[in-house]
Amino acid sequence: MIKMKNAISLLVSSVIFLIIILNIDVISERVKQIFTSNREVIINPSNDYKRNFTYKFVKQLDKKEDYEPHSYEDLLNIFYSALNEGWDEFEFYCPTDYLYCLEDVSKISYDEILLSNINNFVNPYNSYSTIKTLYDDTGAVTIKITHLYNKDEIEKLDKDINKLIKENINDEMNSKEKIRAIHDYIINNTKYDQKKGNGNESEYDSSRIGGVLYDHYSICS
């Protein structure tokens, strides 16, 4: 009796396994549908440093539906908007009709030069020190951003920048004269950090605003 039960159990298990194998694509698609249904993009408020500009290279997305990508350019706009909004983390989803979405996400996330170029279009206070992208087979993509400046640093920088402005420009100047005055201050008080520029370690904070304000050493970034 026990042997017969074991045989029946084995037979049932084999039939179930065979059904799964024969219908694996259908089952996989159904599981994917379960995970991808009712997914909603959450748009959090922007911070104080969002720029309301649109460029030829990238543009700020304004509507929730704009965060569903259908092209490589759409993905570039999502990465830019996540930075420009000042978010620490943002999740969006690749639609099923964009077959190469995750492949394009991977290309962008590993292209340091491209990400650095996008970074140049946002306010320095919203720029990143690190940016990581996580994604899975369901098409969920999460951008995690560590910003270059924290709140305390921004408060100190703003205070010292405003002091510098008051010392170098006045209301009698026109816009061109004001820009020239700040330009000349930077040129006359800042040296190029050769060590950092050549990819070596430096004692100066020359890749950030503090390099100009406090160390008087900087690099192009």
Side-chain angles (χ1 to χ4, degrees), residues 2 5 15 30 35-36 65 103 114 124-125 139 164 202-203:
I2 295 177
K5 288 183 178 179
V15 171
R30 180 54 184 159
F35 278 104
T36 58
E65 53 265 32
E103 182 179 332
L114 173 62
Y125 290 158
L164 182 65
S202 173
E203 62 268 36

Side-chain angles (χ1 to χ4, degrees), residues 152-214:
D152 292 339
E153 288 175 321
I154 290 174
E155 288 180 356
K156 176 174 173 52
L157 287 170
D158 277 346
K159 178 181 177 181
D160 293 338
I161 288 172
N162 287 331
K163 179 182 177 182
L164 182 65
I165 289 173
K166 290 179 180 179
E167 291 174 349
N168 287 272
I169 69 174
N170 57 66
D171 293 336
E172 295 179 358
M173 295 178 174
N174 60 37
S175 295
K176 183 177 180 180
E177 291 170 335
K178 291 177 180 179
I179 293 171
R180 180 61 182 265
I182 298 301
H183 166 273
D184 288 351
Y185 172 85
I186 294 173
I187 295 300
N188 293 329
N189 291 276
T190 310
K191 295 181 180 179
Y192 186 76
D193 187 354
Q194 294 288 350
K195 290 183 180 179
K196 182 69 70 67
N198 291 329
N200 299 315
E201 291 293 327
S202 173
E203 62 268 36
Y204 306 117
D205 192 18
S206 54
S207 59
R208 306 200 308 162
I209 297 173
V212 174
L213 284 179
Y214 311 125

Side-chain angles (χ1 to χ4, degrees), residues 54-60 72-78 80 108 111 113-121:
T54 293
Y55 306 96
K56 290 184 178 180
F57 179 46
V58 285
K59 68 177 183 179
Q60 172 63 42
Y72 184 82
E73 288 72 22
D74 289 346
L75 289 173
L76 292 180
N77 292 333
I78 289 175
Y80 164 71
I108 293 172
D111 192 334
I113 294 177
L114 173 62
L115 291 174
S116 179
N117 286 336
I118 295 175
N119 205 36
N120 287 334
F121 285 86

